[in-house]
């Protein structure tokens, strides 16, 4: 398969994740309630060879309606957050299981970075596939 087409197809991953996280961040910022929670545990999700992976924090917090929620966050990280650590959270009051760390970076900046990376990769892959540019992985990109 053409490597340009592979780049274009691969771009769907950061683009899709970025769009999902961006929409979730907007919902939480507009309709969310803030709460203090704790890191209950960390779930490790590794790659196929288990040499690389991320820790997905499982947080526990109390809603305004005095309901305890325990939920795994959808953004992993390395290293793991310290278990028992207090953490600022924001949750959807209509669906408290939709929760995130109350952080401008996680709710707004990271999703936008992923979308931009996805768009750049998609553009480069499609332009290379259409022979508008040549992607030379040894040197650089050049226009044809």
């Amino acid at each position: 398969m053409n490597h340009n087409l592979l780049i274009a197809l691969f771009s769907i991953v950061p683009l899709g994740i970025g769009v999902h996280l961006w929409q979730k961040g907007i919902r939480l910022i507009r309709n969310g309630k803030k709460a203090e929670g704790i890191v209950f545990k960390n779930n490790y999700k590794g790659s196929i060879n288990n040499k690389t992976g991320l820790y997905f924090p499982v947080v526990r917090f109390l809603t305004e309606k005095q309901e305890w929620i325990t939920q795994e966050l959808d953004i992993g990280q390395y290293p793991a957050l310290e278990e028992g650590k207090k953490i600022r959270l924001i949750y959807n009051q209509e669906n408290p299981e939709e929760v995130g760390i109350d952080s401008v970076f996680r709710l707004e900046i990271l999703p936008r970075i992923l979308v931009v990376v996805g768009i750049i990769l998609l553009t480069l892959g499609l332009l290379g596939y259409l022979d508008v540019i040549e992607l030379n992985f040894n040197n650089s990109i050049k226009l044809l």
Side-chain angles (χ1 to χ4, degrees):
M1 182 179 272
N2 184 316
H3 70 275
N4 294 309
L5 193 54
L6 285 174
I7 292 170
L9 289 174
F10 173 75
S11 72
I12 294 170
V13 173
L15 189 56
I17 293 170
V19 167
H20 168 75
L21 292 176
W22 197 340
Q23 290 173 338
K24 178 182 175 182
I26 288 170
R27 276 193 310 275
L28 288 176
I29 290 168
R30 286 187 183 158
N31 306 318
K33 291 287 184 182
K34 296 184 179 188
E36 185 176 276
I38 63 159
V39 177
F40 180 67
K41 67 178 182 174
N42 290 283
N43 291 334
Y44 180 77
K45 296 183 182 178
S47 64
I48 295 170
N49 61 9
N50 235 6
K51 291 185 178 181
T52 58
L54 295 173
Y55 293 94
F56 288 79
V58 177
V59 296
R60 183 174 282 173
F61 65 99
L62 190 63
T63 68
E64 278 188 337
K65 296 178 183 178
Q66 303 304 304
E67 298 172 312
W68 281 103
I69 303 292
T70 303
Q71 184 66 35
E72 180 181 274
L73 300 181
D74 56 2
I75 298 179
Q77 61 186 56
Y78 184 86
L81 292 176
E82 180 184 338
E83 292 181 9
K85 177 182 179 179
K86 290 183 180 181
I87 190 167
R88 291 185 342 235
L89 300 169
I90 186 167
Y91 68 93
N92 182 340
Q93 52 190 337
E94 295 173 7
N95 178 14
E97 292 180 353
E98 183 177 42
V99 61
I101 294 176
D102 186 17
S103 156
V104 172
F105 179 77
R106 287 180 182 248
L107 295 174
E108 296 184 64
I109 297 171
L110 179 61
R112 291 175 181 164
I113 289 170
L114 290 171
V115 168
V116 168
V117 167
I119 290 171
I120 290 170
L121 289 174
L122 179 62
T123 303
L124 290 174
L126 291 176
L127 289 175
Y129 182 73
L130 297 171
D131 289 328
V132 175
I133 63 172
E134 181 181 328
L135 297 176
N136 184 342
F137 294 103
N138 295 328
N139 297 325
S140 62
I141 299 170
K142 61 181 172 182
L143 292 172
L144 297 178

